[in-house]
Amino acid sequence: MDLQFKRQLKAACRPDEPVQPGDPRHYDFDAPELHLRGRPWRAWLADEIRLSTSPTAQLVTGLRGSGKTTELKQLEKLLTDEGYRVVYADIGAWLSDAAPLTTTDLLLALVLALYPSGTPSGTSGWLRDYAAQVGKFFGSDVALEGGVAGIRAKLTTDETLFQSVAKRLHERDGLREDVFELLERAAAAAFAQGEELVLILDGGEKRATGELFDHGKKALFQNAWFGAFVLQGRDLRPPIHTIYTVPPFMVRRTSELAANFGCELQFLPMVRVLSHAGGLNETGLRAMVAALGRRVPLECFAEPAVPVWLAAHSGGYFRDLMRFMNFMIHAVGDEPAFTREHARYAVEQVRQSYTQGLGLVLEEKRVLQQLHPSKRFPEHEDARERMDSLLQGFKMFRYHNDRDWYDAHPLLWPVLELDDVEDVITWPRAVEIAGPSSGEDPPEGA
């Protein structure tokens, strides 16, 4: 393949790049005729806002690279087209990994999310008034060089300063009331101008999870997340529609979140390329191939079975499909097309990334061996302690048909020495699913 063409392919297949609305690479796995991730995620979030007579607070989660940001950006466009004023903020850029999350961190993020990123004097209407009020809010406790215009720029680019300000605010009496008053004024002023405000706070789930620390300290970090939304949930339900992304491990406390925070935690499942009965889901596989075809022309594959085989090994995790492609782009050299050999090489390379280094410890292996035949997470406490590492390590996936279920990542099936998987992902089966028309994209919207 030509070097310049391979560069284009590599740019189109970045594993962690969210796809923005209008990007031709976007593929809707939740179209009505597919529903490959169960109940449509962004439709639920939008309906909660549309159907409510008061501000809502919602929690969403999913594995990194499963499409959360892409879905939230699509939600932003959907609601904007309906007349809502949607403010999207990546708060992962503000939070620290060195200390457990605090409710004050999130209250500060709520304030900054609405604050204009440019010079407040360049704004007008309710937003300009809000900027002035925020200046007074910070001015009473925090001295920042550059005045009001520098507040967001400094706090969103200087993690240490953000934490310092959050610590100062934590000592302030009536902080929750002050923050809620700021947001309530902004919401009322925007509504008076015909705009109902919606805040989307994305990216926080990647920070302050304790993943780099030992078990005891990691538990401290995770308990801080639970404490913020379970014990102090009322402090994070502002008078404005708000959506938070939270870490996947919080799925363990779904019932407590529903009871104490007051909403159902929405988990974005994998694309359903596997069936609950243990075989392959042909509709899901064809959809994954069609989505891949929006990034890599399908004629670049030596035969239609190759992308099907890759999609099956991804387990419906599109990020891993992109990782496969990156290895294949390196391996293809001057050959004109991606072959079975390139596919085998790519799958083995990504498999090794899951099994080498810290790898799959014996306890995790035992849990996954129990999980695979039942598709249900084991209930005993020892297994549940492993749930976080399996989800965070992308070794276990969550799917949805008419119910939620789990399975081990297909790349781990050979390592787990399972009895019923040898004939599931095979080249003859990939050829059968690919069929004569596998290179065609499904109808628009599929």
Side-chain angles (χ1 to χ4, degrees):
M1 286 187 184
D2 174 75
L3 176 61
Q4 185 59 36
F5 181 60
K6 288 192 289 186
R7 284 176 175 169
Q8 294 172 6
L9 294 182
K10 195 167 180 64
C13 294
R14 295 189 182 100
D16 291 317
E17 180 188 10
V19 174
Q20 302 295 320
D23 191 313
R25 293 175 297 172
H26 178 253
Y27 187 90
D28 190 2
F29 293 107
D30 299 321
E33 62 272 29
L34 294 175
H35 280 186
L36 289 169
R37 293 184 291 198
R39 177 180 54 225
W41 206 58
R42 64 179 179 270
W44 171 277
L45 300 175
D47 278 347
E48 282 289 285
I49 292 170
R50 295 184 190 115
L51 296 172
S52 179
T53 56
S54 59
T56 61
Q58 301 188 70
L59 304 178
V60 297
T61 193
L63 300 189
R64 183 174 180 177
S66 61
K68 295 187 304 299
T69 296
T70 295
E71 287 298 295
L72 290 173
K73 285 290 187 179
Q74 296 294 327
L75 174 67
E76 178 185 11
K77 182 179 185 305
L78 174 67
L79 292 176
T80 299
D81 290 346
E82 293 179 7
Y84 290 87
R85 174 64 176 268
V86 184
V87 178
Y88 172 93
D90 179 5
I91 68 170
W94 311 345
L95 303 179
S96 172
D97 283 324
L101 180 84
T102 69
T103 300
T104 307
D105 291 337
L106 294 173
L107 287 172
L108 179 52
L110 282 168
V111 171
L112 289 176
L114 272 183
Y115 194 86
S117 56
T119 304
S121 59
T123 64
S124 60
W126 68 266
L127 190 55
R128 183 169 186 172
D129 292 340
Y130 176 78
Q133 292 162 11
V134 171
K136 294 177 182 178
F137 171 79
F138 284 120
S140 61
D141 279 309
V142 183
L144 291 175
E145 295 180 6
V148 174
I151 288 177
R152 178 168 171 134
K154 290 178 181 296
L155 289 177
T156 59
T157 57
D158 188 334
E159 182 181 287
T160 303
L161 181 59
F162 182 96
Q163 304 308 314
S164 174
V165 171
K167 185 176 180 180
R168 289 284 303 275
L169 291 175
H170 181 71
E171 301 167 356
R172 178 173 173 171
D173 291 334
L175 174 63
R176 172 184 175 274
E177 289 74 15
D178 290 345
V179 170
F180 280 23
E181 183 181 0
L182 274 173
L183 297 176
E184 188 171 25
R185 286 182 181 177
F191 191 78
Q193 296 180 20
E195 298 179 330
E196 189 169 358
L197 281 175
V198 178
L199 268 182
I200 299 177
L201 302 189
D202 190 16
E205 81 286 355
K206 301 170 186 161
R207 310 298 296 272
T209 59
E211 291 302 313
L212 300 179
F213 298 106
D214 60 37
H215 181 73
K217 198 166 184 180
K218 180 178 177 180
L220 179 67
F221 277 70
Q222 293 187 355
N223 285 336
W225 273 97
F226 289 127
F229 289 96
V230 175
L231 300 179
Q232 299 171 295
R234 64 185 292 271
D235 293 344
L236 297 176
R237 296 184 63 89
I240 181 174
H241 294 298
T242 307
I243 298 171
Y244 301 91
T245 56
V246 299
F249 58 73
M250 292 185 73
V251 73
R252 285 195 286 117
R253 307 280 286 272
T254 299
S255 60
E256 293 172 77
L257 288 167
N260 293 279
F261 190 71
C263 79
E264 299 293 337
L265 174 62
Q266 298 297 312
F267 194 112
L268 185 63
M270 296 296 104
V271 176
R272 198 167 59 246
V273 299
L274 305 175
S275 73
H276 188 271
L280 297 178
N281 183 293
E282 297 186 15
T283 302
L285 286 169
R286 292 191 180 108
M288 287 283 282
V289 171
L292 176 61
R294 297 189 178 186
R295 298 166 184 259
V296 180
L298 294 180
E299 56 267 25
C300 291
F301 296 95
E303 56 179 309
V306 172
V308 173
W309 193 81
L310 292 169
H313 279 88
S314 77
Y317 187 24
F318 202 77
R319 178 174 177 262
D320 273 356
L321 187 56
M322 295 296 93
R323 294 175 72 194
F324 294 157
M325 287 309 310
N326 273 272
F327 277 110
M328 292 171 70
I329 290 167
H330 281 274
V332 70
D334 295 328
E335 294 184 52
F338 299 114
T339 66
R340 292 188 183 190
E341 191 58 37
H342 300 136
R344 291 190 191 97
Y345 166 77
V347 164
E348 190 55 38
Q349 294 304 305
V350 178
R351 191 197 319 276
Q352 288 181 27
S353 74
Y354 285 108
T355 58
Q356 289 182 344
L358 294 177
L360 194 65
V361 299
L362 180 60
E363 291 83 355
E364 291 179 344
K365 186 174 181 179
R366 287 173 176 166
V367 170
L368 292 176
Q369 286 171 333
Q370 295 177 59
L371 167 75
H372 175 74
S374 68
K375 303 299 187 290
R376 293 180 58 191
F377 202 85
E379 294 296 329
H380 55 85
E381 190 59 34
D382 290 344
R384 297 197 70 81
E385 289 181 2
R386 291 286 169 186
M387 188 175 195
D388 301 338
S389 61
L390 291 172
L391 282 172
Q392 295 287 103
F394 317 107
K395 300 168 186 175
M396 177 178 76
F397 292 156
R398 179 167 169 149
Y399 299 93
H400 188 95
N401 289 91
D402 56 344
R403 56 182 169 173
D404 293 320
W405 52 281
Y406 295 93
D407 203 346
H409 194 316
L411 291 179
L412 298 179
W413 290 355
V415 181
L416 297 174
E417 301 170 350
L418 301 169
D419 296 330
D420 62 339
V421 298
E422 289 187 5
D423 298 327
V424 176
I425 306 177
T426 64
W427 283 109
R429 186 77 177 99
V431 170
E432 178 185 353
I433 293 172
S437 60
S438 63
E440 297 178 4
D441 208 332
E444 188 61 32

